[in-house]
Amino acid sequence: MKILILGAGKMGTFLTDVLCTQHEVAIFDTNPKNLRFVFNTYRMTTYEEIKAFEPELLINCVTLKYTLEAFDKVMPYIPQSCIISDIASVKTGLPEYYAKCGHKFVSTHPMFGPTFANLDNLSNENAIIITESDCLGKAFFKDLYNSLKLRIFEYSFVEHDETIAYSLSIPFASSIVFAAVMKHQDAPGTTFKRHLATARGVMSEDDYLLTEILFNPYTPEQLKKIREELKYLLDLVESKNTGGLQDYLKKLRANLA
């Protein structure tokens, strides 16, 4: 299959490496420096090159902020038969875009990133495929994600954003709060160092990604739950309610089991 990847960032180049041995792959980026380290792949910096390539599948790996804009710019240069796809972590605006674009589409979300994941062993990582996607597109990504040994889940667009509000906004918000109140310590404990490493990883993410995750329409409900739990914990601590705190800790351990 002739596959065009938009965006030579970390995920774009990772997918290029995975796909280029079995498919005819091209990668497009407006910055030629980003294309230096790809191999067995056509490197493109102009839309005319894309038109000549005639891709059968387009995978949009551009930064979340520019996903829709990247689609708009490339549309005049791809065949009508080309299936378009995204790997966006938030699907806001994409269902409406796909409904009017005139192309078959497949939307997925590989739920790992270069910041934390071991790209050589993804057997403990997950991927989501959107149920409204084209059947052929879904079949392609199922084969791809199975080859990476990812656990695959199928959700609708709405179910996806609900899930992401829980699985990403809670740890993101927790890391942001940790960063907001932390003080540098000369002799930090092990738990502190682990939280610090996680917070640094989260804060190294693109600002727009963090914004979109937190602005997910389902995020406020999750943040309200965090606020309620913090208030309850504060009440237990201020009142030195030993029995209440022990019961609360028991409940938390049951949640984590």
Side-chain angles (χ1 to χ4, degrees), residues 103-147:
H103 283 262
K104 294 179 179 179
F105 74 89
V106 54
S107 185
T108 77
H109 180 191
M111 295 184 67
F112 60 90
T115 302
F116 294 115
N118 176 5
L119 298 181
D120 293 324
N121 181 11
L122 296 171
S123 59
N124 292 321
E125 305 293 344
N126 304 315
I128 294 174
I129 298 177
I130 301 301
T131 54
E132 293 97 326
S133 300
D134 172 73
C135 291
L136 289 177
K138 285 196 288 187
F140 174 85
F141 277 96
K142 281 182 180 179
D143 287 344
L144 172 61
Y145 292 152
N146 277 324
S147 72

Side-chain angles (χ1 to χ4, degrees), residues 232-252:
Y232 183 69
L233 177 60
L234 179 60
D235 290 341
L236 291 174
V237 172
E238 288 183 334
S239 64
K240 293 183 171 56
N241 184 345
T242 302
L245 181 58
Q246 290 176 344
D247 289 341
Y248 188 58
L249 294 175
K250 183 178 180 180
K251 171 191 168 184
L252 300 185

Side-chain angles (χ1 to χ4, degrees), residues 76-115:
Y77 301 93
I78 61 174
Q80 186 62 42
S81 59
C82 180
I83 300 174
I84 64 173
S85 68
D86 74 274
I87 58 167
S89 53
V90 178
K91 304 301 183 183
T92 304
L94 283 167
E96 296 79 8
Y97 188 90
Y98 286 137
K100 67 179 183 181
C101 72
H103 283 262
K104 294 179 179 179
F105 74 89
V106 54
S107 185
T108 77
H109 180 191
M111 295 184 67
F112 60 90
T115 302

